Amino acid sequence: MSKIRITSLIIGALLSATAHSATVYISDIQFVAIREGLDNNTRAVERGLKSGTPLVVLEQNDGYTKVRTPSGNEGWVADYFLSEDMVTRDQLETLQTRLDKSTESRTEVADALKVSQQKIQELNSTNTALQDENESLKQQLQNAAELSEKAQAIVSQNEDVSYQIATLKQQASIAIAQAEKLQDTTEQKWFMIGGATLFGGLLLGILLPMLRRKKSGTGSWS
């Protein structure tokens, strides 16, 4: 065995060791067959793998790679049919999917932002209404406070008037009592004067006839 052959085997073994469990993809060629050996004339274990199909790398040797297909078949395929990257079409589809998702997400964000703005406007309107109501309540409270002060002043005045009225009633009662007492005293005085007058009249009525008789008797003796 030549040194070149030995070197190729060593390199192939190293490559197969490093390539184990790696993933490659069918290149942009439309359909590829997986075969039993390193020759395109060997039997195909699976046909019609379309571009973009992922394959598990098992081994590499002389421009061929042994792979496992998604259906579980193992075989060899030429390296120029493989690509370490996803094919352009799949990349475009992936990018389109991401773009669609991004567009949907942006639409959702825009809708959420619109809803948030509406809620903010509603909250601002509610806040304005509450501020107006607060100002109205403050004015009503101020008016109530002023009315309360006026009511207290009226009550105080009424209390003073009531006190004055009570005082006047008390003074009037005293005056009435004094007048009644004075009236009683005056009536007693007039009663005594009338009694004395009556007594004097009766006394004169008795004495005058007696005096007349006495004068008459005195005249007949002379």
Side-chain angles (χ1 to χ4, degrees):
M1 185 180 293
S2 64
K3 292 182 179 180
I4 296 176
R5 185 66 176 175
I6 295 172
T7 303
S8 299
L9 290 174
I10 294 172
I11 293 173
L14 292 175
L15 289 175
S16 63
T18 56
H20 183 66
S21 297
T23 301
V24 293
Y25 302 89
I26 299 295
S27 64
D28 288 332
I29 298 174
Q30 187 65 30
F31 294 102
V32 175
I34 306 298
R35 299 183 179 275
E36 290 180 342
L38 304 180
D39 190 349
N40 288 337
N41 294 324
T42 59
R43 186 179 69 87
V45 297
E46 190 167 345
R47 294 179 181 275
L49 293 177
K50 66 179 182 178
S51 59
T53 302
L55 305 171
V56 178
V57 175
L58 302 177
E59 186 179 345
Q60 290 180 331
N61 189 6
D62 286 341
Y64 286 85
T65 300
K66 187 176 183 180
V67 296
R68 180 185 300 116
T69 67
S71 60
N73 295 319
E74 295 181 3
W76 293 86
V77 63
D79 289 344
Y80 58 80
F81 289 139
L82 302 176
S83 173
E84 293 182 354
D85 300 321
M86 297 177 65
V87 296
T88 304
R89 184 190 64 193
D90 292 339
Q91 289 178 348
L92 289 176
E93 291 178 355
T94 302
L95 292 176
Q96 185 63 41
T97 301
R98 291 181 180 177
L99 180 60
D100 293 340
K101 291 182 178 180
S102 176
T103 302
E104 292 176 358
S105 298
R106 186 174 63 181
T107 303
E108 292 176 356
V109 171
D111 293 340
L113 179 60
K114 186 176 180 180
V115 172
S116 298
Q117 289 176 347
Q118 291 177 351
K119 290 183 178 180
I120 290 173
Q121 291 178 356
E122 292 176 358
L123 290 175
N124 288 333
S125 300
T126 303
N127 187 28
T128 302
L130 289 175
Q131 288 180 352
D132 294 339
E133 185 177 358
N134 188 26
E135 292 297 328
S136 177
L137 291 175
K138 286 183 179 179
Q139 185 63 37
Q140 293 178 7
L141 182 61
Q142 184 176 358
N143 294 336
E146 292 177 356
L147 289 175
S148 177
E149 291 179 356
K150 291 180 180 179
Q152 290 179 356
I154 292 172
V155 170
S156 298
Q157 293 176 359
N158 289 335
E159 290 178 352
D160 294 338
V161 172
S162 299
Y163 175 76
Q164 294 175 0
I165 292 173
T167 302
L168 290 175
K169 285 182 177 181
Q170 185 177 6
Q171 293 177 357
S173 298
I174 295 173
I176 291 172
Q178 292 178 351
E180 291 178 349
K181 185 178 180 181
L182 181 61
Q183 184 177 1
D184 293 339
T185 303
T186 303
E187 289 179 353
Q188 290 178 359
K189 288 182 178 179
W190 282 110
F191 180 76
M192 292 176 65
I193 293 172
T197 303
L198 180 60
F199 180 75
L202 292 174
L203 183 62
L204 289 174
I206 297 171
L207 292 177
L208 285 176
M210 293 177 63
L211 290 174
R212 288 176 182 175
R213 289 176 184 176
K214 186 177 181 181
K215 288 181 178 180
S216 297
T218 304
S220 63
W221 288 339
S222 58

